[in-house]
Amino acid sequence: MRNSSLATRLFLSATAWVVVILLITGIVLSSVYRSATERAFDRRLNLYLRTLVAEVANPPDAPDHDTPSLGEPLFELPLSGWYWEIAPTEGAKTEMRASRSLWDKKLPKLEDQGVELTASGIRQGYVDGPEDQRLRMVERPVDLGADGKFRISVAGDATEIFEETRTFDYYLGGTFAALSIVLVLTTIFQVRFGLAPLKRMSDAIADIRSGRAERLEGTFPVEISPLAGEMNALLDANRAIVERARTHVGNLAHAIKTPLSVIVNEANSRGIDPFASKVLEQADVMRDQVTHHLERARIAARVTIVGTVTDVAPALEALCRTMQKIHRDRGITIDLEADAAAKFRGEKQDIEEMVGNLVDNACKWADSHVTIGVQVERTGGADPASKLRIIVDDDGRGLSDTERAQVARRGQRLDETKPGSGLGLSIVVDLAALYGGSLTLGKAPIGGLRAELVLPGV
């Protein structure tokens, strides 16, 4: 439950309450109906009981004194489940009488089972009768004074009560099952309808992250409208922080480069001097390191901007044209094959800088040919984002496994005759990592080095 969605929590809690409430209601209604059925059955038995009491109270010389008539044929059928019995208890001048349905059997005594008299002077309850029949019985003691005391019992087949209750429970269960389905469907609709604004907000945030929007737009319910406002305020604050960081990085770059230029000029003015040469060498290292770390800081600030998207193909086409002009004297040809739908989740100058370093390095070491391929890979699942795979191959001499590991480390170079500081690939590694990507080096099919850059797409 802790890791489930809010919709699941609401649905499960609402469903649990529906089940509990319907279950309790069903039990109560079934109990009430059973009690009502028993009361109706008892009223019928009490009617017969009063008739028998009146028969017992008749004078002994009455013509129908020995054959009470209750007007119910079931009392005449053997073992029908409907019985009556008039049993003398003490001082009675007559013998026990019973319905023909009882034959030679006797009814059990509720008094022996510990059933107490009610306010109306009768006992009532369930007993096991002849042939193990389950009976509902009422029993009443009668005192006729000089004629003696009697116990009058009337019993009926309790199957009627059980069948009535079972039929009611069957229809009640079916009705509640249908009601449960309706309530569950209603709950699903309410959860979906109630959480629809949150889904809309989630989609809007995804649009911002992917660059399709810059702010949360639209009207939201009063409960989450403050959240939308705070989200927009957070986006504005993030952009302001990034702009201030860019300004500070630029100011720092100018503040450091100016003293370095002064040091280099002073060292050059000293002519051929070992001290001046050492100063120039270290100044170059300092300039490279400052450029590298300032570039990392600048890119790190830009990466925090939400919602920037760059079309890859146009950016790389312009980059290829530039690189061909730079390396025109070596006759290097650059082939680009890019997916037109490829989009980079970042700023244009960042992907130009990363790919530019890779292409420039490939052109320096290639014999005559450099190829660039851009592929879009969908990650699938709940996240619709994709990955960009940019592959730069050259037909140069390539590198061994040891050399590839060495050249990827900051400041490591294999050939001092090639121009550059040696920080290009390490900068690409750092910047790709800031975007959550990676750079791997391998062997190109055309014979040289393959640089494979993976970056977040849209």
Side-chain angles (χ1 to χ4, degrees):
M1 177 65 72
R2 179 179 302 174
N3 296 326
S4 63
S5 67
L6 183 60
T8 303
R9 289 171 177 264
L10 292 175
F11 173 75
L12 292 180
S13 60
T15 301
W17 278 112
V18 166
V19 171
V20 170
I21 291 173
L22 290 181
L23 184 61
I24 294 175
T25 304
I27 293 174
V28 171
L29 288 178
S30 178
S31 178
V32 169
Y33 184 79
R34 181 186 180 90
S35 298
T37 304
E38 286 181 347
R39 287 194 300 270
F41 199 84
D42 290 343
R43 284 194 295 268
R44 184 178 174 187
L45 293 177
N46 282 320
L47 177 61
Y48 297 144
L49 182 65
R50 287 194 295 269
T51 303
L52 290 174
V53 171
E55 293 287 347
V56 172
N58 281 342
D61 55 353
D64 56 348
H65 183 76
D66 291 330
T67 56
S69 177
L70 301 181
E72 175 58 69
L74 290 174
F75 288 115
E76 304 297 326
L77 297 176
L79 303 176
S80 63
W82 287 83
Y83 314 104
W84 61 262
E85 183 181 83
I86 302 174
T89 55
E90 58 181 73
K93 300 178 182 180
T94 59
E95 297 180 353
M96 186 183 72
R97 290 178 290 172
S99 62
R100 293 182 180 179
S101 58
L102 195 57
W103 277 27
D104 58 346
K105 307 292 184 179
K106 292 184 179 181
L107 291 176
K109 301 176 184 179
L110 290 176
E111 184 179 5
D112 294 343
Q113 297 182 6
V115 179
E116 299 293 334
L117 289 172
T118 64
S120 58
I122 65 173
R123 295 183 179 92
Q124 55 190 25
Y126 290 97
V127 296
D128 292 327
E131 304 297 328
D132 293 328
Q133 296 168 322
R134 193 63 175 167
L135 306 177
R136 178 72 175 175
M137 189 171 77
V138 294
E139 178 183 288
R140 179 176 179 177
V142 178
D143 187 354
L144 297 181
D147 292 333
K149 296 180 179 180
F150 298 88
R151 184 185 70 255
I152 304 176
S153 304
V154 180
D157 191 354
T159 304
E160 294 185 14
I161 299 175
F162 302 148
E163 288 181 352
E164 285 286 338
T165 305
R166 188 181 303 111
T167 301
F168 177 80
D169 290 343
Y170 174 78
Y171 285 112
L172 182 66
T175 301
F176 274 21
L179 183 59
S180 299
I181 295 174
V182 173
L183 291 177
V184 168
L185 294 177
T186 302
T187 300
I188 294 175
F189 171 76
Q190 288 180 335
V191 170
R192 288 184 176 274
F193 180 76
L195 297 182
L198 291 179
K199 179 63 168 60
R200 186 155 50 89
M201 178 178 286
S202 175
D203 293 339
I205 293 175
D207 290 339
I208 293 174
R209 184 172 61 88
S210 62
R212 293 188 292 269
E214 295 185 355
R215 295 173 60 84
L216 288 175
E217 304 293 345
T219 303
F220 296 95
V222 293
E223 290 81 4
I224 62 174
S225 181
L227 177 61
E230 290 297 328
M231 181 63 69
N232 285 330
L234 179 62
L235 292 172
D236 294 338
N238 180 69
R239 292 189 180 94
I241 291 173
V242 171
E243 289 300 326
R244 287 197 297 270
R246 285 178 175 176
T247 301
H248 293 328
V249 169
N251 293 339
L252 181 60
H254 289 293
I256 294 177
K257 286 182 178 180
T258 299
L260 279 177
S261 298
V262 173
I263 292 174
V264 171
N265 292 335
E266 289 295 326
N268 285 329
S269 65
R270 296 175 64 92
I272 301 176
D273 185 345
F275 177 76
S277 299
K278 194 66 175 178
V279 169
L280 288 174
E281 177 187 340
Q282 295 303 313
D284 287 338
V285 174
M286 291 173 60
R287 183 183 290 112
D288 292 338
Q289 294 293 333
V290 167
T291 300
H292 172 73
H293 288 289
L294 288 179
E295 187 64 17
R296 283 199 64 184
R298 180 180 63 83
I299 296 296
R302 279 210 306 268
V303 169
T304 59
I305 297 180
V306 179
T308 304
V309 174
T310 300
D311 289 325
V312 175
L316 296 191
E317 288 173 358
L319 178 65
C320 289
R321 289 193 293 268
T322 301
M323 287 297 171
Q324 283 183 329
K325 292 178 181 179
I326 293 175
H327 299 278
R328 181 185 305 166
D329 56 336
R330 297 189 60 234
I332 302 296
T333 59
I334 302 175
D335 294 332
L336 172 64
E337 184 177 349
D339 189 334
K343 294 181 183 296
F344 168 59
R345 192 185 301 170
E347 294 197 358
K348 179 181 179 181
Q349 62 194 70
D350 295 337
I351 192 171
E352 287 179 341
E353 183 158 2
M354 287 183 281
V355 179
N357 272 292
L358 297 179
V359 176
D360 184 55
N361 182 76
C363 291
K364 290 175 181 177
W365 294 96
D367 291 336
S368 61
H369 192 200
V370 173
T371 63
I372 306 172
V374 180
Q375 303 169 0
V376 179
E377 297 180 355
R378 296 292 174 185
T379 57
D383 187 1
S386 62
K387 290 184 178 180
L388 290 181
R389 190 173 299 275
I390 303 175
I391 301 173
V392 180
D393 293 339
D394 66 73
D395 60 349
R397 68 177 183 86
L399 298 175
S400 65
D401 294 341
T402 303
E403 291 172 331
R404 286 197 294 268
Q406 179 182 352
V407 79
R409 293 197 295 269
R410 182 180 298 115
Q412 299 294 314
R413 297 182 58 186
L414 298 178
D415 191 348
E416 297 294 336
T417 64
K418 298 293 182 181
S421 63
L423 296 175
L425 291 181
S426 64
I427 290 176
V428 176
V429 171
D430 291 339
L431 300 187
L434 289 174
Y435 275 103
S438 62
L439 174 67
T440 56
L441 302 178
K443 183 173 179 60
I446 59 177
L449 181 68
R450 162 168 287 191
E452 191 169 329
L453 179 64
V454 179
L455 295 173
V458 177

